Amino acid sequence: MYLTFDTGHMGVAPLIAEVLARHQVRVTFFAANELTREGDGSLGDFWAPWWKARAAEGHAFASHTFDHVYWRADLPASGASPATPVFSVRASAGPQAGITRSFSAPAYCAEIERAATRLEQVTGQKALPLFRAPGGKTSPQLVAAAHACGFAHVGWSPAGFLGDELSSESWPNVRLLEKALREVRAGDILVAHLGIWSRKDPWAPAVLEPLITGLKSRGLCFATLREHPTYKDWIAQHGRR
């Protein structure tokens, strides 16, 4: 079982860290510099000590693109560089938030690398050569471009979408917990967030601990993506320089 967290407003980050430490669960964090309730962004100086503490606990870290840049579409290659893929993208953080732009493959790789470099600065350890595209939105061309610059994309298992981005009116926490405990299976990659702005009833305070204890009671255990059979060879071959 591979529990992963993407960044968010960080309001529940301290609670999540406490629960993980209490149950000795190691996870993989995919980090972008997103807008936060406190401080200067989720990868800013305010939250740097929090990331450093998670590294000391044995968690793993990987890029979520620095400005949380969503892939929107593949674009025709430019006349000047016909062999270089080009993508339509839109960031949800940073100075270009909300603006649709064109990124060449090298520009997208630089965006992945920027978050990986910042993670190394704040944690003191090298980020994994993995990334998760915001929203999990990719194309085969985007994934291939990232592979070419040393990053493998990580999504999540169908049952691993834990639902903390959904409306709490339509998907109350008790329903999300019951669904996860019923459907999650060994080997799944699970995804949740360090705070979702739109959810009125936060997921983590109600669901995270009973989810961990419930899955453990089924004989399941947790590991970081360093141990995942699909990615461990890639990590060994493409370890961050």
Side-chain angles (χ1 to χ4, degrees):
M1 183 85 23
Y2 305 90
L3 180 56
T4 70
F5 285 93
D6 296 351
T7 38
H9 61 56
M10 302 296 283
V12 292
L15 178 144
I16 288 171
E18 291 171 8
V19 172
L20 297 178
R22 184 157 55 246
H23 293 279
Q24 294 294 292
V25 168
R26 305 289 180 264
V27 306
T28 305
F29 293 100
F30 287 90
N33 191 41
E34 298 189 63
L35 180 68
T36 55
R37 287 181 174 174
E38 296 179 281
D40 50 347
S42 49
L43 287 176
D45 290 341
F46 180 90
W47 285 100
W50 188 89
W51 292 109
K52 183 73 171 179
R54 304 293 76 75
E57 293 166 349
H59 300 290
F61 309 91
S63 175
H64 196 33
T65 73
F66 192 81
D67 283 335
H68 205 245
V69 176
Y70 284 88
W71 171 88
R72 293 174 59 80
D74 295 341
L75 297 175
S78 69
S81 303
T84 301
V86 181
F87 311 107
S88 173
V89 301
R90 183 182 293 173
S92 67
Q96 302 295 316
I99 300 173
T100 300
R101 295 175 286 162
S102 296
F103 262 21
S104 66
Y108 191 83
C109 285
E111 183 68 22
I112 300 173
E113 182 70 46
R114 188 180 174 199
T117 298
R118 179 57 179 166
L119 277 166
E120 184 172 350
Q121 292 171 348
V122 297
T123 64
Q125 71 180 47
K126 293 183 183 299
L128 301 179
L130 309 174
F131 84 106
R132 175 173 289 150
K137 297 181 183 299
T138 65
S139 69
Q141 195 170 46
L142 184 84
V143 170
H147 266 232
C149 58
F151 293 92
H153 184 257
V154 180
W156 51 83
S157 305
F161 177 69
L162 297 176
D164 61 342
E165 295 177 281
L166 301 175
S167 162
S168 54
E169 289 83 4
S170 300
W171 285 91
N173 287 322
V174 64
R175 186 179 176 193
L176 291 177
L177 176 60
E178 290 171 351
K179 182 177 185 296
L181 290 175
R182 181 176 64 250
E183 297 182 2
V184 165
R185 296 292 180 266
D188 281 353
I189 297 175
L190 316 182
V191 60
H193 298 77
L194 301 178
I196 293 293
W197 291 96
S198 61
R199 189 170 175 86
K200 295 179 181 179
D201 187 10
W203 174 90
V207 179
L208 180 58
E209 193 154 27
L211 176 64
I212 289 172
T213 57
L215 292 175
K216 282 188 171 183
S217 72
R218 288 171 45 192
L220 298 171
C221 59
F222 294 85
T224 73
L225 291 173
R226 298 185 194 102
E227 291 75 50
H228 194 285
T230 299
Y231 302 109
K232 63 181 181 181
D233 288 343
W234 176 273
I235 292 168
Q237 295 169 13
H238 298 82
R240 308 276 312 130
R241 294 186 296 276

